[in-house]
Amino acid sequence: MSNEVLWTPPSDVRQTSRIGHYLRWLERERGLAFADYEAVREWSVRDLPAFWGSIWDYFEVVSHTPPTATIADRHMPGTRWFPGATLNYAENVLRMPGRAGDDPAVVAHSQTRAPVTLTKDELREAVRRCAAGLRRLGVGPGDRVAAYAPNIPETYVLMLATASLGALFSSCAPEFGTRSVCDRWQQIEPKVLVAVDGYRYGDKPVDRRAEVAAIRAALPSVEHLVMIDYLTPGSDPGWADLTAPTDEPLTFAAVPFDHPLYVLYSSGTTGLPKPIVHGHGGILLEHLKMLALHHDLGPADRFFWFTTTGWMMWNFLVSGPAVGATIVLFDGNPGAPSLDTLWALAEDTRMTYFGTSAPFLLACRKDGMVPRASHDLSALRGLGSTGAPLPPEGFAWVYAAVSDTLQLQSLSGGTDVCTGFVGGVPLLPVRAGEIACRALGAAVEAYAPDGTPVIDQLGELVITEPMPSMPVGFWNDPDGSRYREAYFDVYPGVWRHGDWITINDHGGCVITGRSDATLNRGGVRLGTAEFYSVVEGLPEIADSLVVHLEDSEGGAGELLLFVVTTDGRDLDGDLTAKIAKELRTALSPRHVPDSVYRVPGVPRTLSGKKLEVPVKKILTGAPVEAAAAKGALANPESLAAFEKLAREGVS
């Protein structure tokens, strides 16, 4: 049942949680007292200088020169945060507050090699050597270092070393195809390329040396290629040479608050991926706030998120040591040998926070798994779900099959801000199918078409006040026009994110899909998320995708459903009728599709998001190459079925 309360904060939550400690600090140091979460949230978006200044002071940010103000200009785009301050992201992460030198900082498991643990001292030493190696290669402030490497300690060390020099880091997961990588890195022209020779996915070795050679050939800016002999140890001395012993001390370039830290990319499904530049200070403050105050992470925690280096959740995960948490890395196939792999990892590593995606949790539910029956998950205090909306049945499964004491936090945000702006917090209960709150410092609203905020109604997700982790800008966008067009072209001075959201009267949020993938039936907007929840809840359906094709003459248009059946079964009249009945009963008659088609696969981005918009374009006559950049897809072959349907007259 939706909105059912599944978890309630303990009565002593203000004494035992990090946000409780922060609220006591605010009262003691600032004379500010707040009755509840909503009160402190309202203050955090109303008085931006006081809130973000308190985050800087509370977390004792290490700076080289102090700021002259918290915010100099709050207009978006172009907000100026902490003018005059100089600092370094890597210095603040490597401080690892509350941890001793021999405490574990990184626990890394892999299907390619044995587990690796780095202590705080070992991590700092690895970064010191790597930074010295990069310096020998001529890397300095503003240069770009690119990593074609998985979620392993070497990639993390490289990112921190690059940041310590004031250079920019950019990563692509090694499963990305050559075209996809070049579309990203030809834009930023890296000086150094660090790449793995290959990896294992489950028990399958994947050699990437040919791809590395092709990528290097396509990037004339690359002066140095450094190979990590990950798949075949001993085959190349590149990484060992880069990180060779040296007497050079570990130093940190003092850079301005908005100095570029790394470049992330939009999915690039309908054009070149947008190169989104994030800054040292904004990322540091946002991640300190979210990891400690929302996820309640600190020195006693082991923090995990299942992610590759091609998804922003990797960048979010690896800020964990900044709040004292040990991070758990995993590289491999989470479904090999079975979906139990990550739950076994949670037990083995004594994980306290398990982060994953909604599709993973729903796949475990569909598989009938009960992890609590086969694993000791008693250390688990938090479970994070993102990447897609988690429906009520996903919440119910977590509390029945994983743990009835942990806090489940469904969150949503984006690569654009490298964080979640709606999520959970220890002070609020967990309700089925609902994101608990808008995050501190995130002025999220639901806008009606006329640009006014609405409650308990579906609206366009906007952010009305600046956040420090909004992009510094896009790479090679000197006048800022591409950046403005991406977020500020609909509501001047207000960030439009591109999702549908409903904010209810107690502050909870429900995201119902991308606003550009809306299903508009007779003037009623339908989100895709609830649609998928019902269809994919059927045992006969493995995956699905829905699009609405408008009628150029103003008619009702067509609602088309595409399904991947389980075990390759046929889509017959009985199954089609069953789907229609489920949608009519669970949602409404408006949700019943006009036609249902069986397809071999649903096209997804490399980070697992469904691609409704490119499919809609293909079905309305756009050539495949114009509708989607195949290199940005995890399964580009899936587009062929839609191309065939378009030729045969689906419209």
Side-chain angles (χ1 to χ4, degrees):
M1 174 184 148
S2 189
N3 280 16
E4 179 189 355
V5 174
L6 300 171
W7 179 88
T8 306
S11 56
D12 62 351
V13 65
R14 284 210 177 200
Q15 283 66 54
T16 56
S17 63
R18 294 205 71 175
I19 191 169
H21 187 272
Y22 167 69
L23 291 174
R24 293 198 301 279
W25 180 90
L26 279 179
E27 191 163 1
R28 187 176 70 246
E29 299 293 327
R30 300 288 201 265
L32 294 166
F34 298 101
D36 55 22
Y37 176 76
E38 186 55 23
V40 69
R41 189 200 69 81
E42 284 181 2
W43 164 75
S44 76
V45 295
R46 185 179 67 249
D47 194 343
L48 297 184
F51 171 67
W52 289 107
S54 79
I55 296 296
W56 178 287
D57 292 343
Y58 176 73
F59 288 103
E60 299 177 344
V61 168
V62 177
S63 64
H64 294 249
T65 54
T68 56
T70 300
I71 188 168
D73 177 2
R74 69 194 280 170
H75 292 101
M76 294 190 284
T79 311
R80 287 185 56 235
W81 291 97
F82 294 90
T86 57
L87 76 175
N88 192 285
Y89 166 85
E91 183 172 14
N92 281 274
V93 172
L94 288 168
R95 184 172 52 149
M96 284 197 76
R99 305 308 295 270
D102 58 356
D103 283 348
V106 180
V107 176
H109 284 241
S110 158
Q111 291 173 338
T112 304
R113 66 180 176 203
V116 175
T117 297
L118 293 179
T119 65
K120 175 179 175 177
D121 285 348
E122 287 167 342
L123 177 61
R124 290 178 63 90
E125 172 65 7
V127 172
R128 181 182 73 82
R129 288 186 180 192
C130 185
L134 290 173
R135 214 179 272 117
R136 286 195 300 274
L137 299 184
V139 174
D143 288 330
R144 277 80 65 205
V145 174
Y148 188 58
N151 184 15
I152 57 176
E154 289 91 333
T155 316
Y156 185 38
V157 166
L158 181 70
M159 187 271 277
L160 292 173
T162 300
S164 77
L165 301 174
L168 283 76
F169 177 81
S170 183
S171 58
C172 283
E175 67 267 22
F176 279 31
T178 306
R179 167 77 185 275
S180 189
V181 174
C182 295
D183 280 352
R184 286 160 170 75
W185 288 344
Q186 282 172 345
Q187 297 185 69
I188 65 165
E189 301 177 297
K191 177 183 273 192
V192 174
L193 170 61
V194 178
V196 288
D197 56 345
Y199 55 90
R200 284 185 183 275
Y201 194 69
D203 57 5
K204 179 187 169 200
V206 182
D207 189 327
R208 298 308 268 174
R209 287 172 299 179
E211 284 77 9
V212 173
I215 291 164
R216 179 168 194 184
L219 296 173
S221 63
V222 171
E223 296 174 15
H224 304 280
L225 169 64
V226 177
M227 294 298 294
I228 302 172
D229 53 347
Y230 181 53
L231 181 60
T232 313
S235 61
D236 195 298
W239 180 257
D241 290 348
L242 182 74
T243 56
T246 173
D247 294 332
E248 276 197 49
L250 177 60
T251 58
F252 300 96
V255 297
F257 187 88
D258 60 357
H259 184 80
L261 168 63
Y262 40 57
V263 183
L264 304 184
Y265 300 88
S266 65
S267 58
T269 50
T270 54
L272 276 182
K274 295 190 292 283
I276 299 165
V277 183
H278 285 295
H280 277 246
I283 288 295
L284 175 66
L285 286 193
E286 175 60 33
H287 290 181
L288 287 171
K289 176 206 76 178
M290 283 303 292
L291 294 170
L293 304 185
H294 284 272
H295 295 306
D296 201 35
L297 296 169
D301 286 295
R302 294 199 161 195
F303 175 42
F304 168 77
W305 214 288
F306 176 71
T307 179
T308 73
T309 56
W311 188 25
M312 57 128 312
M313 290 311 298
W314 183 81
N315 303 76
F316 188 76
L317 165 68
V318 299
S319 285
V323 297
T326 300
I327 53 172
V328 178
L329 310 182
F330 173 79
D331 175 45
N333 180 353
S338 74
L339 283 171
D340 190 55
T341 295
L342 295 183
W343 302 110
L345 178 70
E347 179 178 24
D348 291 348
T349 59
R350 302 293 293 159
M351 212 179 271
T352 62
Y353 196 107
F354 181 110
T356 183
S357 66
F360 173 79
L361 296 174
L362 294 171
C364 291
R365 173 181 176 266
K366 194 153 198 168
D367 220 33
M369 292 179 62
V370 185
R372 70 192 297 173
S374 46
H375 298 289
D376 176 4
L377 302 176
S378 56
L380 213 51
R381 298 190 306 116
L383 192 150
S385 171
T386 192
L390 185 66
E393 59 270 23
F395 280 73
W397 178 82
V398 167
Y399 281 100
V402 180
S403 165
D404 56 5
T405 59
L406 60 72
Q407 185 182 15
L408 170 56
Q409 298 185 323
S410 178
L411 61 148
S412 186
T415 303
D416 331 72
V417 286
C418 200
T419 189
F421 38 61
V422 293
V425 71
L427 302 177
L428 292 175
V430 175
R431 298 171 191 265
E434 192 172 290
I435 296 171
C437 63
R438 293 172 278 182
L440 294 175
V444 171
E445 299 286 355
Y447 264 17
D450 65 358
T452 55
V454 291
I455 295 290
D456 280 327
Q457 290 179 43
L458 189 66
E460 183 90 53
L461 193 162
V462 298
I463 306 174
T464 61
E465 295 286 354
M467 295 171 65
S469 70
M470 284 175 174
V472 173
F474 289 171
W475 188 261
N476 201 15
D477 180 29
D479 64 357
S481 57
R482 289 177 69 205
Y483 179 46
R484 269 194 306 279
E485 184 186 326
Y487 308 108
F488 301 101
D489 64 338
V490 176
Y491 307 109
V494 171
W495 174 292
R496 171 184 169 270
H497 195 68
D499 283 336
W500 290 126
I501 187 170
T502 303
I503 302 168
N504 60 34
D505 58 6
H506 57 256
C509 305
V510 177
I511 301 229
T512 40
R514 296 293 295 170
S515 54
D516 54 10
T518 311
L519 313 170
N520 191 327
R521 294 283 267 175
V524 177
R525 295 179 306 201
L526 312 177
T528 52
E530 56 186 3
F531 206 101
Y532 296 140
S533 170
V534 172
V535 174
E536 290 162 31
L538 297 170
E540 299 91 344
I541 304 299
D543 206 356
S544 65
L545 184 131
V546 63
V547 298
H548 184 258
L549 303 185
E550 285 76 23
D551 181 351
S552 57
E553 295 175 6
E558 274 192 292
L559 189 63
L560 307 179
L561 174 63
F562 303 92
V563 296
V564 180
T565 56
T566 48
D567 306 323
R569 70 174 65 215
D570 286 336
L571 176 65
D572 55 23
D574 289 347
L575 181 52
T576 303
K578 183 177 181 182
I579 292 169
K581 182 176 181 226
E582 283 292 318
L583 286 166
R584 183 180 288 106
T585 306
L587 300 175
S588 79
R590 290 181 189 275
H591 289 79
V592 176
D594 295 300
S595 305
V596 184
Y597 298 90
R598 182 178 153 215
V599 292
V602 167
R604 291 179 181 269
T605 65
L606 291 161
S607 61
K609 291 187 167 47
K610 298 186 189 191
L611 292 174
E612 294 100 342
V613 175
V615 164
K616 187 170 175 176
K617 288 181 177 174
I618 290 168
L619 294 174
T620 50
V624 169
E625 48 284 359
K630 288 188 175 181
L633 272 65
N635 53 345
E637 71 286 349
S638 62
L639 295 175
F642 298 96
E643 190 178 25
K644 181 168 182 281
L645 284 166
R647 280 200 309 272
E648 292 170 357
V650 172
S651 63

